[in-house]
Amino acid sequence: MGKNQTGSVRARRHSFKEWMTAVRPWSFPASVMPVITVLAYLFWAGNEINWWLGLWTVVNMVLFHCAGNTWSDWYDFRNNVDAGDTFGARTITSGMFRPEEIRNLSVGLLLVSLAGGIALLFLTGLPLLWIGLAGAACAVLYPLLKYRAAGDLVIMMAFSILPSLGTSFVVTGAVDWGVLWVAVPVGLITVAILHINNLRDITTDRRAGISTFAMRIGARTSVHVYNFEVIFPFFWVFACALGRIFPWMSLLVFLAAFPALLNVRTVIRYRSEGMSAISGLDEDTARLQMIFSLIFSLSFFLAALF
């Protein structure tokens, strides 16, 4: 569906369900779980935590994520990356929203998240400014960088490294670099959500003239990369538990190995069945990220209490 068709959609009141569809709530584990996991790790490590500021950080990350989702949708439509036959978000291409509605929603959400970040800055300190500016830059520049095969790196920064460091500073008053041990496994599964999207969209992305990381390395290698991103986190946690960086209780994450292996089985079908085999794997990967991170977080709380 092109711009002429979406342009015929008149301004109207949208339902709550439609607004929720626009921001893609199924993807929220990617922004919520890194913060929750870091809070659990800091609690286990014996830090004094400001839980109210931690909750504030969770809400702000969700707003930031919503802004990024909608900005990416608008940018992709504007640059003819998303069309009527593409997978994924179809809020504009289906005619549900006009392009300017999604753009305005994105800008509004970004401004609200920036306001929340500035308030947190005054309550905490200057280091949060640089982390926040880097996060905002990731959100705005993500579509452009994704078109140049750097989207995976941006997601790792925006939804793993930066929120982990920022959360540690907000809730404890100091940047704890140890949280990066936690950021790696959680972040890799988050990156896998984007990577499987880009693998699924190789054909339509090539038609649009962009170059994602999945396109650069090819479909066959992309399958291997996805498998690494969802399986390696389990080995990382095991190695960290062996090195006493994490408590032995953290090995509970292996309870999430079953859904991870189901995802691996699904992505392997891509070789024989094509895009249709992995059409819903992005949501399955987000679900895996939530399960893995919830168990991971619970293991730190249990280890601290018992």
Side-chain angles (χ1 to χ4, degrees):
M1 184 177 292
K3 293 184 179 181
N4 290 336
Q5 287 171 285
T6 56
S8 65
V9 179
R10 303 302 180 193
R12 63 180 180 85
R13 292 178 63 88
H14 293 284
S15 67
F16 176 77
K17 182 179 179 180
E18 288 175 329
W19 287 116
M20 291 303 294
T21 299
V23 298
R24 302 204 294 275
W26 62 263
S27 67
F28 289 173
S31 52
V32 171
M33 297 318 302
V35 177
I36 292 176
T37 308
V38 165
L39 289 172
Y41 169 82
L42 292 170
F43 178 71
W44 168 75
N47 292 276
E48 185 176 343
I49 296 173
N50 187 321
W51 293 103
W52 286 111
L53 292 184
L55 178 60
W56 189 333
T57 303
V58 169
V59 173
N60 222 53
M61 275 298 298
V62 171
L63 291 171
F64 168 80
H65 192 179
C66 291
N69 280 345
T70 48
W71 180 258
S72 179
D73 290 346
W74 174 76
Y75 199 94
D76 282 348
F77 179 80
R78 181 190 177 204
N79 288 277
N80 299 313
V81 175
D82 283 348
D85 61 343
T86 54
F87 288 90
R90 296 173 55 83
T91 50
I92 300 177
T93 58
S94 68
M96 180 184 296
F97 286 90
R98 291 176 294 134
E100 57 269 27
E101 288 180 308
I102 295 298
R103 179 200 61 202
N104 294 342
L105 174 62
S106 178
V107 172
L109 288 167
L110 183 60
L111 290 175
V112 172
S113 63
L114 287 175
I118 292 170
L120 278 175
L121 170 65
F122 282 110
L123 291 171
T124 56
L126 192 59
L128 190 62
L129 173 63
W130 313 119
I131 296 172
L133 287 175
C138 285
V140 174
L141 297 177
Y142 164 70
L144 182 64
L145 294 172
K146 182 184 77 170
Y147 296 174
R148 289 160 175 79
D152 300 61
L153 178 61
V154 173
I155 293 299
M156 189 68 176
M157 289 295 297
F159 290 97
S160 180
I161 295 174
L162 292 174
S164 295
L165 295 174
T167 299
S168 72
F169 179 73
V170 166
V171 301
T172 68
V175 174
D176 185 341
W177 295 94
V179 298
L180 294 182
W181 293 106
V182 175
V184 170
V186 175
L188 279 175
I189 301 177
T190 301
V191 172
I193 301 172
L194 167 71
H195 188 69
I196 200 63
N197 266 324
N198 289 342
L199 171 59
R200 181 193 63 197
D201 295 341
I202 282 180
T203 301
T204 52
D205 285 348
R206 183 177 290 114
R207 181 185 65 195
I210 67 174
S211 180
T212 64
F213 177 62
M215 292 171 64
R216 291 281 181 90
I217 64 176
R220 184 180 182 86
T221 304
S222 288
V223 169
H224 295 314
V225 168
Y226 175 83
N227 289 337
F228 170 81
E229 289 169 342
V230 299
I231 294 300
F232 180 74
F234 295 94
F235 291 96
W236 178 275
V237 172
F238 177 77
C240 287
L242 198 64
R244 298 186 178 182
I245 297 169
F246 297 159
W248 283 107
M249 194 77 74
S250 65
L251 296 182
L252 286 172
V253 297
F254 278 85
L255 294 172
F258 180 69
L261 291 173
L262 286 179
N263 285 3
V264 167
R265 188 176 69 173
T266 299
V267 77
I268 290 174
R269 289 169 44 210
Y270 172 81
R271 298 173 183 172
S272 58
E273 300 178 29
M275 290 184 295
S276 60
I278 58 172
S279 61
L281 193 51
D282 51 355
E283 294 187 28
D284 291 337
T285 308
R287 192 175 300 111
L288 169 64
Q289 203 262 22
M290 181 176 66
I291 295 170
F292 179 96
S293 300
L294 282 175
I295 297 173
F296 199 21
S297 301
L298 180 62
S299 73
F300 286 119
F301 283 120
L302 291 175
L305 296 173
F306 303 105

